[in-house]
Amino acid sequence: MPLPLIPTAASAQGKAITITTTGILNNVNPYAHSSIHLYYIWSQIYGSLGRYNYAAKAYEGVLVESWETVEPTRWRFKLRSDLKRHDGGPGPTSTDVVHSWRRILSDPASQQAFFLTEVDKFERVDDRTFDIVTKRPVAQLLSILFDRFVVTSADLHKKHGANTDKAAAFGWGPYQLDRFDIDRSVIVARNPSWPGMPASAPETVIYRQILEAEQRVTALLNNEAQIARLIPPQLVDRLKSNPAVKEVETGSLEWMFLGMNAKIKPFDDPRVRRAVAHAINADLIVKRLLFGLADPMQGAIGKHQDCFAPSAARPEYDPKKAKALLAEAGFPDGFDVEFATANGRYVSDRQVGEALAQMLRQVGIRAKLSTPDYANFTNDIRQGKLPLYYTGRSAANDQLEALAQYFETGGSRRTNYSDPEADRLFREVRAAFDTKVQCDLQRSLSDKLSQDSPVVFLWTHRLVNGVRSNINWPADATGEPWLTDITVS
């Protein structure tokens, strides 16, 4: 008998909870996506190598118990010996890890090869020990892999082949899959053999896909959901009026920005890009449209990330300087440009897009706003087809990998920005295993990107979640729930 998609109030008072998600639940293949909400779901079912504990400000193992840097391009990991597969099978082995790496690279549906670009190979040392060899020194390897590299069973894949994810979705994580209803919900249950499972953790969790913010709030107030995530600023007051719910607010790692494509004129001219940056009054948008629920970015590193420091090179709001730069670049009368954003994917994204377009028009940049379907929008960004766009980029505690995807030569076609000095800084940051040296270099990189303005770094949203009063969720800047951290009373 399948579990209900929405728990009753009685079940919610026990150890079953529903968590709303705004991310699409669209594939049972754990490698056929590149979305943070699914990374976290699969990490807790199959098991990731580890995770970053934001409360402790430290990396901790999930499937691995220890790791070390043997040499600058070789990391050694030891798997835990106290785990059993959900179907009673053996614990994870190095063979499973190597299989997972190969599957990410070879599965036609895989969308995750991009985070393995720095990896040369995975090598089995013995049943519980494996090495990751990188193409060059990468001090940020744990940040790149830990929350995303999900390990699946080599034996089960050999037995079931392409049908494994449906026929035998068994892993080693703290929760096991009960049911996956495409575009509706994912239901997971506690793994009874997980070592140290807190008694207060939820027994059953339903991730329920609700894209409309009003519906998420209504589900919370009706006790059909116990955690309603990503409440937009204009609906926060509805939480405050109900004593049965509470507001849980955190910072965010996802940086919002106004992107420009340096291969599409006139954005090949850094004076034009900097003019765009000077035209934007981000503080006003945060105050008026986002109700103060955002942290303005002061460079390329967010407030809640490692190595944060304000950049002195960040262009300030100055419309006169924007007009002067446009005139210097040969556009005294401005220019016309197509401008795109999502509609409903980010907090108030269409309204923010309208405000950005208005600010650009005030300096002579006549931005024509469109809100295409999100799938087409993101595909056009990846293909380098959009001259100007507003979007966000999820990141980790360390910002380097996200920045490299947009600003390192060959990283992607998203901005087509390329600069030898920036490339040198990317290389040196990766090779710096000393934390202070690494942060000094990252701040220099932030200054360089702020100066060149391939994008306008805007803000990171404050994440507002509605939570029933009997639930304690120590939310962090990822915005993603780690279920064993949740307590149900």
Side-chain angles (χ1 to χ4, degrees), residues 280 285 289 339 350-360 369:
I280 303 304
I285 294 177
L289 283 181
F339 173 40
R350 180 179 57 80
Q351 294 89 341
V352 168
E354 291 170 349
L356 292 170
Q358 183 179 359
M359 290 175 180
L360 291 170
L369 180 65

Side-chain angles (χ1 to χ4, degrees), residues 110-289:
S110 174
Q111 297 184 33
Q112 297 178 7
F114 74 92
F115 70 72
L116 292 171
T117 55
E118 296 294 338
V119 174
D120 180 40
K121 56 185 173 180
F122 281 62
E123 286 185 344
R124 179 185 182 278
V125 177
D126 59 38
D127 279 351
R128 290 183 50 221
T129 309
F130 64 93
D131 287 354
I132 299 178
V133 181
T134 57
K135 297 173 184 176
R136 54 185 168 180
V138 183
Q140 299 76 24
L141 188 67
L142 299 185
S143 176
I144 293 171
L145 294 184
F146 255 28
D147 290 331
R148 292 190 294 193
F149 186 85
V150 168
V151 179
T152 54
S153 169
D155 288 344
L156 292 177
H157 194 266
K158 183 178 180 180
K159 179 179 179 180
H160 297 281
N163 198 43
T164 306
D165 304 322
K166 295 180 179 179
F170 301 119
W172 301 274
Y175 281 77
Q176 56 194 48
L177 182 64
D178 186 283
R179 196 170 87 188
F180 196 126
D181 287 325
I182 298 294
D183 290 331
R184 294 185 66 191
S185 66
V186 175
I187 304 173
V188 298
R190 279 201 316 208
N191 172 6
S193 64
W194 180 259
M197 172 65 74
S200 57
E203 293 175 358
T204 301
V205 176
I206 302 170
Y207 293 93
R208 184 181 171 204
Q209 180 179 303
I210 305 181
L211 303 184
E212 291 293 330
E214 288 272 6
Q215 294 178 15
R216 294 196 297 275
V217 173
T218 298
L220 176 74
L221 297 180
N222 291 341
N223 203 17
E224 294 172 350
Q226 287 66 57
I227 296 178
R229 299 170 56 216
L230 301 181
I231 307 302
Q234 66 271 22
L235 296 181
V236 171
D237 283 347
R238 289 188 63 188
L239 306 183
K240 297 177 179 178
S241 64
N242 191 318
V245 303
K246 55 190 174 183
E247 177 187 340
V248 175
E249 180 183 325
T250 72
S252 172
L253 300 174
E254 183 172 54
W255 41 284
M256 305 302 298
F257 63 96
L258 183 59
M260 292 163 274
N261 192 318
K263 280 194 174 180
I264 301 178
K265 291 183 179 296
F267 300 116
D268 58 333
D269 190 327
R271 294 170 296 185
V272 173
R273 300 196 302 265
R274 198 162 176 86
V276 171
H278 282 300
I280 303 304
N281 188 342
D283 291 341
L284 182 63
I285 294 177
V286 168
K287 180 180 179 181
R288 297 278 180 85
L289 283 181

Side-chain angles (χ1 to χ4, degrees), residues 289-304:
L289 283 181
L290 303 178
F291 297 78
L293 290 171
D295 296 310
M297 292 189 73
Q298 301 175 58
I301 304 172
K303 178 180 178 181
H304 302 282

Side-chain angles (χ1 to χ4, degrees), residues 129 261 333 342 367-369 449 452:
T129 309
N261 192 318
D333 299 320
K368 182 181 179 182
L369 180 65
L449 296 175
D452 287 0

Side-chain angles (χ1 to χ4, degrees), residues 5 9 22 43 49 82 144-145 166 171 174 193 226 231 272 332 338 424 433 448:
L5 292 181
T22 61
S43 288
L49 299 182
D82 58 348
I144 293 171
L145 294 184
K166 295 180 179 179
S193 64
Q226 287 66 57
I231 307 302
V272 173
E338 297 293 325
R424 178 186 66 80
F433 285 79
K448 172 65 177 171

